[in-house]
Amino acid sequence: MKGFEITYKGRKTRVAVKEGLLTIHIDDVKGRAFIYVESVEYDEQRRNVWYNFVPIKPGDKIEIKMVETGNISEPETRGKDKSIKRPISKLEAFHRVEVLLKEKRLL
């Protein structure tokens, strides 16, 4: 699966998600900067967090490299989240609208 290798302060972390969403945030809140990295796994309704608002400062070096990997680093936190739902694709949305329009004899 495709993912990222993040190197920060000598720590190499491999993050990836098989079916879901992987996000890397660099946030600036009131002059303080943070890195946040998480994934959301649709099928397992699971949220994984590797960097949970870790403070960063000017001059810090963060390397992010795209990798093909089967091995990911253990997340800091992992938990079930029943609110996670797989979003429908644009093609699925099109088919739903198509069926609705045909039912109403507009297509």
Side-chain angles (χ1 to χ4, degrees):
M1 78 186 114
K2 292 183 178 33
F4 294 97
E5 183 176 88
I6 302 168
T7 306
Y8 177 60
K9 290 189 175 181
R11 172 185 165 196
K12 280 191 180 192
T13 306
R14 282 192 172 218
V15 300
V17 64
K18 189 173 183 179
E19 284 289 326
L21 176 67
L22 174 66
T23 57
I24 301 172
H25 295 263
I26 304 295
D27 297 324
D28 187 350
V29 179
K30 296 182 181 179
R32 298 183 63 207
F34 303 90
I35 182 171
Y36 181 82
V37 180
E38 78 166 350
S39 70
V40 174
E41 298 174 20
Y42 298 134
D43 292 340
E44 296 183 28
Q45 292 183 306
R46 185 174 306 280
R47 185 177 307 275
N48 301 309
V49 178
W50 286 273
Y51 288 85
N52 195 0
F53 295 101
V54 174
I56 56 177
K57 59 185 185 303
D60 283 354
K61 183 177 179 180
I62 301 171
E63 292 181 10
I64 301 172
K65 178 171 68 169
M66 186 169 181
V67 294
E68 186 73 40
T69 185
N71 300 327
I72 63 171
S73 301
E74 187 65 31
E76 284 182 23
T77 61
R78 171 180 284 163
K80 283 291 240 184
D81 185 343
K82 299 254 187 223
S83 68
I84 295 172
K85 303 287 184 230
R86 177 184 301 280
I88 64 169
S89 70
K90 290 181 181 180
L91 183 58
E92 289 171 310
F94 169 80
H95 286 299
R96 288 181 183 182
V97 170
E98 181 183 36
V99 167
L100 181 65
L101 291 173
K102 285 180 178 178
E103 285 173 357
K104 294 187 178 214
R105 298 185 189 271
L106 295 171
L107 190 66

